[in-house]
Amino acid sequence: MKLHEYQAKELFQKAGIPVPKGRLLTSRDKLGSVLEEIPGPPWVIKAQVHAGGRGKGGGVRLVKGQGEAAEAVAELLEKPLVTPQTTAEGVIVHQLLVEEGVDIDKEFYLGMTVDRKLACPTMIFSPSGGMEIEEVAKQSPDLIFKEPVNPATGWMPYQARNLIYKLSQVPGGYTVKELSSTMKKIYDLFVANDCSLLEINPLVITKQGSVIALDAKMTIDDNALYRHKDLAQLDDPREKDPLEVLAEAASLNYIRLNGNIGAMVNGAGLAMATMDVIKLAGAEPANFLDVGGGASEEMITKGFEIILKDERVRAILINIFGGILRCDVLARGVLEAAKKTDIDVPLIVRLEGTNVEEGRKILEESDLDFLVARDMAEAAELVAKEVKRQG
Ligand code: GDP
Ligand code: MN
C-alpha cells in the first residue's frame, strides 16, 4: 500500500525527520486561509498522487505570490496529471500539498528498501538526488551508494559516516550530524512500519545549512497491514483500479491486466499457468484472478461479477481444479452471478476434481450458454478462437 507524500511527511514529522511546513488543500476556496498559515512566499504546490515524476509532469509548482498560487491550484486541482509514470490519460489530482518554499543548496537521494539479493534492509544514498535519479542510476551507477543493514544489530552510526564521506565535499560537522540522525530515523521508521520502500528524493541541504526532506515516498507491505490499523486507514482507493478495490473487499486475489480474456481460476499456481496457456494460444488475459482454495459461493459470485464488469472482456475462461473448493460450489456461484448480469461473451469452462460431475450437471441443467473444455490447452485454444472470431 502506497502512502501519499503528505501522509508520509506526517509520519516523518512525528519521527523527528525535518520536513517543510505544509498543509493539505482539497478545495480552491480554502487556499487563502492555508497560505496564511504557511511561511512564504515563495510556496510550493504539489499534486498528491501516487505516481512519481510529478515534477516532470508539472505537478510541482514553485509560486511567488497569492495570484500565482491560485493559478497553480486552478490548473491542478481535480484535473488529470500526466507524468512519465502514468498512462497518457493521467490521474486525477484530488488533493494538493501547499508548503513553504525552501532555498535548495544540494539535493541528495536517500532511500531504504529490502535488497532481495542480500536479503536484508538496505540504505541507498546518492549525492546526485533530484528528478534525474533514474538517469543517474543508469548512466553513473558509481554515484549510488548502498549500506546493507544487519537486522540483528540494526543501523550502526558508522554506516551513516560511510555514506556521508562518499560526498566529494563533506559538509560541516553540524550538517553531518543532522544527516546521520536522519538516516537512523529513516531506518527506524522503515522497520517500525513494515515498509517495503521508503524514499526521500530529494533530501536537501538548504542555503541556511539545515537538512530537510523535500519529498517523501512510503510503501507499506500489504501483508503487514493487519498490525498497522492506523496506516491501513490512510489507504486512498481513488488511486486504485475500481475493480481491484471491489476484489480486495471480497478477499479475492485479483490483478487487472491489459488483455481481453477474463479468467477465473483457483490457486495462484494454476492461475499463473492459465495465463501462460492463454498467451501460448495467442491471446491475452484481462486479469489474474485466484479465487483461492476455500472460496465460498459468494466469493465465486463476486469474482465472476467483477470479470463481467470489465468492459474489455470478450471471452471468459473458468479453470477450476476442485480440491477444497468443490466444483458444485463453483457452479452455483457462477449461476448466481449470471442471474444478476447478462453474460454477453462466450464462456469456456474446464472443471476437474472434487464433485466435478455434480458441478457439470448444475451448469448443464441451467440455461447458461457455455463450452466445455476437456483440458487446459483446449480451454485456452477455445477462448483464443472465440476472441479471434469476434475480430
Ligand atoms: P517528484 O517529481 O514527484 O519526485 O516531486 P518532488 O517532490 O521531488 O519535487 C520535484 C522537484 O521540485 C524537486 O526535485 C525539487 O528540485 C523541486 N522542489 C520541490 N520543493 C521545492 C522547494 O521548496 N524549493 C525549490 N526551489 N524547489 C523545490
Ligand atoms: Mn521526488
Side-chain angles (χ1 to χ4, degrees):
M1 182 192 119
K2 286 182 178 170
L3 297 188
H4 281 300
E5 177 190 9
Y6 79 94
Q7 295 167 327
K9 278 181 169 168
E10 270 170 35
L11 296 176
F12 280 18
Q13 201 179 14
K14 279 189 199 141
I17 299 162
V19 294
K21 267 207 188 65
R23 286 284 304 271
L24 191 69
L25 182 75
T26 49
S27 89
R28 274 163 88 155
D29 36 288
K30 299 263 165 58
L31 180 64
S33 61
V34 163
L35 289 180
E36 267 171 35
E37 288 177 49
I38 300 173
W43 296 288
V44 179
I45 301 195
K46 310 181 77 178
Q48 297 299 288
V49 292
H50 288 167
R54 296 166 305 167
K56 286 185 176 167
V60 177
R61 307 285 179 88
L62 186 69
V63 298
K64 294 187 195 74
Q66 303 234 3
E68 270 184 43
E71 264 170 52
V73 171
E75 280 170 31
L76 291 171
L77 200 56
E78 303 303 339
K79 302 270 164 65
L81 176 71
V82 180
T83 85
Q85 290 184 25
T86 66
T87 58
E89 298 92 69
V91 284
I92 303 289
V93 177
H94 299 290
Q95 312 179 95
L96 298 171
L97 178 63
V98 182
E99 286 186 332
E100 60 180 320
V102 170
D103 268 341
I104 302 175
D105 184 24
K106 292 196 176 67
E107 291 188 309
F108 302 140
Y109 172 99
L110 181 65
M112 184 96 213
T113 184
V114 178
D115 187 302
R116 284 173 190 273
K117 264 199 207 131
L118 302 170
C120 63
T122 300
M123 183 89 63
I124 303 163
F125 178 69
S126 173
S128 332
M131 297 202 279
E132 302 301 332
I133 191 68
E134 277 89 2
E135 278 308 301
V136 174
K138 250 188 252 157
Q139 312 286 335
S140 15
D142 50 311
L143 287 177
I144 310 269
F145 304 103
K146 294 185 183 175
E147 276 292 328
V149 188
N150 183 335
T153 58
W155 179 252
M156 302 295 271
Y158 79 87
Q159 298 189 283
R161 292 191 291 275
N162 276 355
L163 291 176
I164 295 164
Y165 290 133
K166 296 282 200 271
L167 296 172
S168 54
Q169 239 188 319
V170 177
Y174 176 71
T175 311
V176 169
K177 228 168 155 177
E178 273 199 284
L179 282 173
S180 335
S181 118
T182 301
M183 288 176 181
K184 159 88 175 115
K185 286 168 184 164
I186 284 297
Y187 174 76
D188 289 342
L189 204 61
F190 181 89
V191 173
N193 292 297
D194 289 306
C195 295
S196 53
L197 176 75
L198 203 166
E199 203 177 75
I200 306 179
N201 185 34
L203 174 71
V204 305
I205 300 183
T206 66
K207 296 223 167 96
Q208 295 74 31
S210 45
V211 172
I212 297 187
L214 264 207
D215 194 6
K217 202 172 258 177
M218 256 174 107
T219 309
I220 316 289
D221 184 342
D222 289 337
N223 294 311
L225 281 178
Y226 76 95
R227 57 181 183 191
H228 299 289
K229 298 277 189 288
D230 46 335
L231 292 178
Q233 281 182 350
L234 300 179
D235 191 25
D236 186 350
R238 292 175 297 192
E239 289 277 331
K240 294 197 221 159
D241 186 300
L243 293 182
E244 289 187 7
V245 174
L246 283 179
E248 205 178 307
S251 313
L252 293 165
N253 296 313
Y254 172 92
I255 295 160
R256 208 164 166 191
L257 303 168
N258 295 323
N260 52 16
I261 307 235
M264 180 148 99
V265 190
N266 68 322
L270 189 59
M272 296 292 275
T274 306
M275 328 250 86
D276 283 347
V277 290
I278 290 174
K279 279 181 165 268
L280 199 63
E284 288 290 329
N287 66 278
F288 169 95
L289 171 57
D290 161 24
V291 295
S296 63
E297 198 181 308
E298 290 89 67
M299 281 166 79
I300 300 288
T301 309
K302 258 274 157 331
F304 203 61
E305 272 174 35
I306 289 169
I307 293 177
L308 291 172
K309 273 208 174 88
D310 188 340
E311 309 100 27
R312 302 161 314 167
V313 166
R314 308 262 288 279
I316 297 175
L317 170 54
I318 297 182
N319 185 14
I320 299 291
F321 190 86
I324 301 169
L325 167 65
R326 303 178 337 237
C327 294
D328 56 314
V329 170
L330 170 97
R332 272 190 227 105
V334 168
L335 285 190
E336 205 46 49
K339 260 192 238 158
K340 291 187 202 159
T341 328
D342 281 338
I343 304 181
D344 49 4
V345 293
L347 177 62
I348 286 90
V349 180
R350 182 249 173 176
L351 286 182
E352 271 323 324
T354 312
N355 289 6
V356 63
E357 303 302 335
E358 208 179 324
R360 287 219 183 100
K361 210 167 118 208
I362 292 170
L363 290 176
E364 272 154 20
E365 284 172 1
S366 73
D367 44 18
L368 200 63
D369 209 7
F370 65 96
L371 298 169
V372 178
R374 272 162 302 162
D375 54 34
M376 266 171 77
E378 191 187 56
E381 270 156 33
L382 283 174
V383 272
K385 212 162 81 191
E386 286 298 332
V387 172
K388 273 184 204 124
R389 200 169 49 81
Q390 293 171 40

